[in-house]
Amino acid sequence: MKIDDIITIDSSSLDCDKVFITSDTHFSHKNILVYEAEYRPFKDKVDMDEQLIARWNSVVGKDDVVFHLGDFAFADDKKIRKYVERLNGRIYLLLGNHDRVRKFDWNSLGFARVLSNPFLFDGKYIMSHEPIDEIPTGKVNLFGHVHGSDYFKTITENSACLCVERWNCTPVDYDVVRSWFV
């Protein structure tokens, strides 16, 4: 994939109060509580889902935009629609590896936009589900997928992991993210 081949989205076109970024919520996924127990101290998947929704809505307003960088939920389409309805903001979902295996029409579930491939945001930020190996000069990769893995640093000079495990299970304000790369 060449940088010239991906779509571009600019914050000025979003008509919103604020922009947030998150990844790998894994709503309704029981086993994520085992895999990421250190970062998800919830008693069960119902408690996890309720806490994720509460934390999301504590920072995201109705008129905000959230870029979700993949692996939204382990659920059927009806349950996913209910999650989207309960979450504040307009959600732009970049399909992750676990989302892609669910063969239903993601565009009909209430997301503002569903994207299949990495995209460039504000001309600088390459948003992807998985980390990109070679980040072009002058660009920054914002990614998910790796959860709490020690192999990937949370923030480097040209990348940041936005998995919920790194951020107290709460979306991160885009203004904060930009401040890391000034």
Side-chain angles (χ1 to χ4, degrees):
M1 167 186 58
K2 293 179 1 185
I3 195 74
D4 297 336
D5 295 337
I6 65 176
I7 67 162
T8 299
I9 299 173
D10 290 305
S11 56
S12 62
S13 70
L14 296 177
D15 187 32
C16 63
D17 292 339
K18 295 187 91 165
V19 174
F20 292 86
I21 309 165
T22 194
S23 181
D24 295 272
T25 46
H26 284 247
F27 286 108
S28 202
H29 185 196
K30 182 174 89 172
N31 288 336
I32 198 72
L33 295 170
V34 176
Y35 307 143
E36 298 295 333
E38 178 182 351
Y39 305 101
R40 293 183 186 238
F42 310 112
K43 62 183 176 184
D44 56 31
K45 71 179 184 177
V46 173
D47 182 44
M48 176 184 71
D49 290 353
E50 291 304 313
Q51 288 290 328
L52 287 171
I53 292 166
R55 292 176 190 200
W56 178 302
N57 289 343
S58 74
V59 297
V60 177
K62 296 281 186 198
D63 295 321
D64 296 335
V65 164
V66 179
F67 287 107
H68 191 294
L69 303 182
D71 290 354
F72 185 78
F74 279 49
D76 64 29
D77 54 345
K78 290 176 183 62
K79 195 164 188 179
I80 290 173
R81 176 177 279 288
K82 289 185 187 296
Y83 289 125
V84 174
E85 289 170 355
R86 291 185 62 198
L87 294 167
N88 287 344
R90 295 186 318 272
I91 306 168
Y92 284 59
L93 175 64
L94 173 61
L95 296 176
N97 57 303
H98 292 291
D99 302 323
R100 292 176 192 281
V101 300
R102 287 163 174 72
K103 302 297 181 194
F104 40 75
D105 181 11
W106 285 93
N107 290 299
S108 70
L109 302 181
F111 295 100
R113 186 168 181 182
V114 178
L115 301 138
S116 297
N117 297 306
F119 61 96
L120 186 63
F121 188 62
D122 279 349
K124 179 175 183 174
Y125 302 95
I126 303 169
M127 300 227 197
S128 61
H129 177 62
E130 297 180 24
I132 294 174
D133 291 332
E134 295 183 30
I135 303 167
T137 302
K139 305 296 185 211
V140 172
N141 181 210
L142 305 178
F143 62 89
H145 184 66
V146 300
H147 298 275
S149 169
D150 291 338
Y151 185 78
F152 293 89
K153 294 187 182 322
T154 302
I155 303 169
T156 71
E157 67 182 38
N158 62 354
S159 70
C161 176
L162 279 300
C163 290
V164 295
E165 287 85 0
R166 310 289 179 110
W167 304 102
N168 197 29
C169 296
T170 306
V172 182
D173 187 319
Y174 174 59
D175 289 336
V176 172
V177 173
R178 286 189 318 181
S179 73
W180 303 331
F181 303 104
V182 190

